[in-house]
Amino acid sequence: MKANNNLGAYPYLPVIILFAGLGSIVGGLIAELALLFIFREADFAQIGYQPLVYVGLLGFIPALLTGVIIASQKLWRGAHKSIIKTFLVGFIISASYMGAIVLYLGINSWVEVGVLLAFMAGVGLFGAINSAIAGCIALPKACKSGFDISAKKEDDGYDSLSFTK
């Protein structure tokens, strides 16, 4: 596979696909590990694959939206600000998504609003961690040099000064 050193060529589609796939799978695995940590006497076979499937399916839409936003920002792996942006975008998208789902189900009292905000903060933090992990894997590596070496070298006119002719 030929390396593309063109700084203008950002792999939008692979970043979006990797964020959607990895984000939902990583979220399911984190939920599975959290359940195994909470229920220490249980094993993976007792808990089953349900958290992996449910969180994976439920997390697919926010992971896809996060991937689209991250790709539109053209973030690269290795930059300190890219991890922070990925974390914040994951938090905002996940919290908003869960808030929209809970609001769709209905809120009947002010107590439920407080519970909703706490739930949104928890799910947002979960999505932010998930997004940061997916970003460490899915984002393309930044080029080491700042020069675009993909262009063909032109004649610089110094050949006439050469004494080897």
Side-chain angles (χ1 to χ4, degrees):
M1 184 172 174
K2 185 179 175 185
N4 187 2
N5 291 324
N6 187 357
L7 294 177
Y10 188 82
Y12 293 101
L13 193 59
V15 169
I16 293 170
I17 291 171
L18 283 172
F19 255 94
L22 289 174
S24 56
I25 290 172
V26 168
L29 288 174
I30 291 173
E32 187 79 34
L33 291 174
L35 286 174
L36 286 172
F37 183 73
I38 292 170
F39 303 108
R40 292 183 184 194
E41 290 80 29
D43 62 356
F44 190 79
Q46 289 175 327
I47 293 175
Y49 297 104
Q50 289 179 352
L52 183 63
V53 173
Y54 291 140
V55 174
L57 291 176
L58 191 62
F60 179 76
I61 293 172
L64 180 67
L65 291 174
T66 302
V68 169
I69 291 171
I70 295 299
S72 69
Q73 295 292 315
K74 294 183 180 180
L75 295 180
W76 298 88
R77 185 180 356 154
H80 182 66
K81 289 183 180 181
S82 67
I83 297 291
I84 294 171
K85 280 186 179 180
T86 306
F87 188 85
L88 290 175
V89 169
F91 181 84
I92 292 168
I93 295 288
S94 298
S96 301
Y97 184 68
M98 275 300 124
I101 288 175
V102 173
L103 286 175
Y104 176 74
L105 297 175
I107 291 182
N108 299 324
S109 69
W110 285 103
V111 173
E112 290 179 358
V113 172
V115 172
L116 169 67
L117 292 175
F119 183 67
M120 285 174 59
V123 170
L125 186 60
F126 179 76
I129 292 169
N130 200 7
S131 178
I133 292 170
C136 290
I137 300 168
L139 290 177
K141 253 187 178 178
C143 184
K144 296 275 186 202
S145 72
F147 298 105
D148 183 9
I149 60 172
S150 65
K152 184 180 176 186
K153 184 179 176 184
E154 294 182 21
D155 184 23
D156 54 11
Y158 289 108
D159 287 339
S160 61
L161 298 177
S162 173
F163 294 112
T164 59
K165 286 187 176 181

